């Protein structure tokens, strides 16, 4: 029984090779395996009540694999934080809070999407605080689907305009704040952290309270797929082709 960790697929109808990659990965898993979906699985998500053939297909895919004994966990990313219980029930997945601690090979491991570690992006941190508020979410989900799409497009345009003004600063801000990492790991009493979001797949060695520790960063699925798994025992970060 192995655990698999993926994030930042950014699934959307216009990139069918990403969905094929997910189908292929799910096909490799065996009953009893666990798959952790650690955020930004979808390019955007404006509410469980707004569905289409693409989303229905993904729900069906996930449900089929959950029904054959794959345990699915879903953590929110900054793009799909509005995924709710309805989607999870229909997919056979369990919603996992960010952060969460899980057992991997008998070790306590901290899981996060990773956006909350990027504290130098103060504008985003403000948006995050607002958008994770249940009252804001109720207000947003109370709008018509068309209004929600317009709101999301306007927000994306605004952030793109800001990005073009200061690409250098934006590129730096997109990574985690190095000082945040040992603090949050010490707070949770772990020496392994797994997260995505930054699209910088790597294994970083560090010290937490004088102990050897590691931060494993998952990759995005834009050009190839990335996964972390322990099917051969130790955790291993691996990339694969998307066709
Ligand atoms: Mn993200």
């Amino acid at each position: 029984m192995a655990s698999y960790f993926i994030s930042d697929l950014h699934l959307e109808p216009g990139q069918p090779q990403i969905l094929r990659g997910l189908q292929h990965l799910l096909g490799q898993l065996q009953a009893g395996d666990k798959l952790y979906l650690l955020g930004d699985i979808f390019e955007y998500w404006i509410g469980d009540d707004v569905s289409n053939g693409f989303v229905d297909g993904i729900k069906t895919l996930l449900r089929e694999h959950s029904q054959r004994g794959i345990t699915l966990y879903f953590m929110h990313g900054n793009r799909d934080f509005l995924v709710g219980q309805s989607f999870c029930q229909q997919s056979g997945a369990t919603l996992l809070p960010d952060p969460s601690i899980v057992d991997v090979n008998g070790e306590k491991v901290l899981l996060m999407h990773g956006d909350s570690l990027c504290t130098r992006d103060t504008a985003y941190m403000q948006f995050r605080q607002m958008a994770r508020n249940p009252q804001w979410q109720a207000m947003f989900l109370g709008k018509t689907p068309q209004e929600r799409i317009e709101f999301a497009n306007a927000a994306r345009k605004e952030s793109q305009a800001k990005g073009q003004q200061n690409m250098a600063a934006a590129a730096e801000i997109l990574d985690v704040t190095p000082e945040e990492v040992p603090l949050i790991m010490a707070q949770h009493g772990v020496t392994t952290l797994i997260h995505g979001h930054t699209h910088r797949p790597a294994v970083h060695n560090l010290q937490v309270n004088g102990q050897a520790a590691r931060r494993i960063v998952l990759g995005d699925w834009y050009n190839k797929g990335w996964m972390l798994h322990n099917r051969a025992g130790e955790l291993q970060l691996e990339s694969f082709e998307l066709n």
Side-chain angles (χ1 to χ4, degrees):
M1 289 188 214
S3 296
Y4 292 77
F5 305 86
I6 58 175
S7 71
D8 303 283
L9 276 65
H10 296 267
L11 281 165
E12 57 173 322
Q15 305 286 338
Q17 77 283 4
I18 303 176
L19 179 53
R20 287 197 296 270
L22 177 61
Q23 283 167 330
H24 183 72
L25 170 60
L26 281 162
Q28 293 174 24
L29 305 196
Q30 295 175 0
D33 286 347
K34 295 174 181 173
L35 177 63
Y36 293 91
L37 301 151
L38 296 183
D40 287 358
I41 300 308
F42 294 101
E43 175 70 1
Y44 57 89
W45 193 266
I46 59 169
D48 290 3
D49 59 325
V50 182
S51 205
N52 54 48
F54 181 71
V55 167
D56 289 340
I58 292 167
K59 286 184 204 166
T60 303
L61 172 71
L62 294 175
R63 192 174 57 242
E64 280 169 5
H65 287 281
S66 98
Q67 282 172 348
R68 73 175 179 92
I70 312 299
T71 309
L72 301 172
Y73 296 100
F74 192 103
M75 183 180 281
H76 288 144
N78 50 298
R79 289 166 174 272
D80 52 13
F81 63 94
L82 286 171
V83 165
Q85 290 296 350
S86 167
F87 170 83
C88 287
Q89 275 161 16
Q90 291 173 340
S91 306
T94 302
L95 205 52
L96 209 57
D98 180 1
S100 283
I101 290 179
V102 299
D103 184 287
V104 183
N105 295 341
E107 183 193 351
K108 262 171 58 177
V109 169
L110 184 62
L111 306 180
M112 306 176 80
H113 174 59
D115 55 323
S116 63
L117 295 167
C118 301
T119 54
R120 286 176 295 189
D121 190 346
T122 50
Y124 171 68
M125 294 307 279
Q126 276 174 8
F127 170 79
R128 189 181 197 276
Q129 197 177 1
M130 174 185 78
R132 301 298 172 106
N133 179 309
Q135 280 171 337
W136 184 90
Q137 295 191 358
M139 176 280 293
F140 183 81
L141 294 171
K143 293 177 184 288
T144 66
Q146 190 53 39
E147 287 169 339
R148 285 180 242 170
I149 291 166
E150 281 163 14
F151 183 98
N153 285 342
R156 197 174 309 144
K157 273 198 195 117
E158 197 183 324
S159 75
Q160 277 170 355
K162 274 185 199 154
Q164 277 156 7
Q165 278 164 19
N166 197 348
M167 286 297 278
E172 200 200 349
I173 274 169
L174 275 170
D175 205 354
V176 302
T177 306
E179 300 78 26
E180 286 293 319
V181 174
L183 288 179
I184 191 117
M185 292 178 76
Q187 196 185 321
H188 291 278
V190 298
T191 51
T192 300
L193 164 64
I194 299 168
H195 72 82
H197 179 63
T198 61
H199 303 195
R200 290 166 162 88
V203 180
H204 300 276
N205 295 310
L206 69 150
Q207 297 269 316
V208 175
N209 285 342
Q211 275 187 293
R214 59 187 170 166
R215 173 171 70 95
I216 306 174
V217 187
L218 304 169
D220 65 66
W221 286 33
Y222 283 132
N223 297 314
K224 51 185 175 178
W226 286 90
M227 65 171 157
L228 177 73
H229 62 80
N230 67 345
R231 67 183 165 207
E234 265 302 286
L235 280 172
Q236 205 177 332
L237 186 61
E238 205 176 281
S239 68
F240 52 92
E241 296 302 316
L242 297 172
N243 302 301

